[in-house]
Amino acid sequence: ANFSEQVVESFPSDISTGIYYGWACVGNGDVHKMVLSIGWNPFYKNIKKSVEAHIIHTFKQDFYGEILSIVITGYIRPEKNFDSLEALISAIQEDIEEAKRQLDSPDQLKLKEDNFFHLPESKIVNNH
């Protein structure tokens, strides 16, 4: 899930680029583990900073236009360039596995239940 340019610009300017982990919720649905990339994606030579969430869950349908709530709870590594697409994919898989390990800790699991993830009914879109 890619965040809009407006959302990216609202992130704190001093947040380090890199790969993070945490929790994500689409609409008022279930809370899932996620990996978050903040940066320039040097492999793709982006000229604008981006924020992209990879929710570690298989959804039955697209959720374009939905509200995506996230909580960043930890940092995995700095952003870096890769020599090949295969190396990038391998790093992403390692990041996902690291996020899963970290998020299974009792302290992290408590954050999954936070009231932050429960949207008021007026904010729910498309039954989520």
Side-chain angles (χ1 to χ4, degrees):
N2 298 328
F3 286 89
S4 70
E5 194 173 310
Q6 180 182 8
V7 170
V8 173
E9 289 171 359
S10 72
F11 267 65
S13 59
D14 61 347
I15 192 166
S16 298
T17 60
I19 310 302
Y20 294 81
Y21 59 86
W23 299 101
C25 179
V26 176
N28 217 12
D30 294 335
V31 179
H32 302 286
K33 296 173 181 177
M34 69 134 197
V35 177
L36 187 78
S37 169
I38 300 174
W40 306 95
N41 297 330
F43 184 77
Y44 292 104
K45 298 176 178 46
N46 286 3
I47 57 171
K48 290 190 176 189
K49 186 186 264 186
S50 68
V51 177
E52 301 173 4
H54 172 77
I55 302 170
I56 304 171
H57 176 76
T58 301
F59 290 89
K60 293 178 183 164
Q61 60 189 28
D62 290 335
F63 51 87
Y64 293 106
E66 295 285 353
I67 293 174
L68 176 58
S69 303
I70 65 168
V71 173
I72 300 169
T73 63
Y75 181 77
I76 296 176
R77 64 173 175 82
E79 179 178 47
K80 62 182 178 180
N81 201 352
F82 295 92
D83 295 332
S84 67
L85 182 58
E86 292 77 20
L88 171 60
I89 292 169
S90 177
I92 291 170
Q93 293 303 321
E94 289 172 18
D95 296 337
I96 291 169
E97 292 307 312
E98 179 65 16
K100 288 178 182 178
R101 278 191 295 278
Q102 295 294 333
L103 291 165
D104 279 338
S105 76
D107 288 344
Q108 293 288 332
L109 287 168
K110 278 192 269 185
L111 297 171
K112 179 181 179 180
E113 304 304 324
D114 194 274
N115 283 335
F116 168 80
F117 290 113
H118 302 290
L119 291 174
E121 291 297 318
S122 63
K123 298 288 186 185
I124 298 175
V125 180
N126 297 335
N127 299 317
H128 292 283

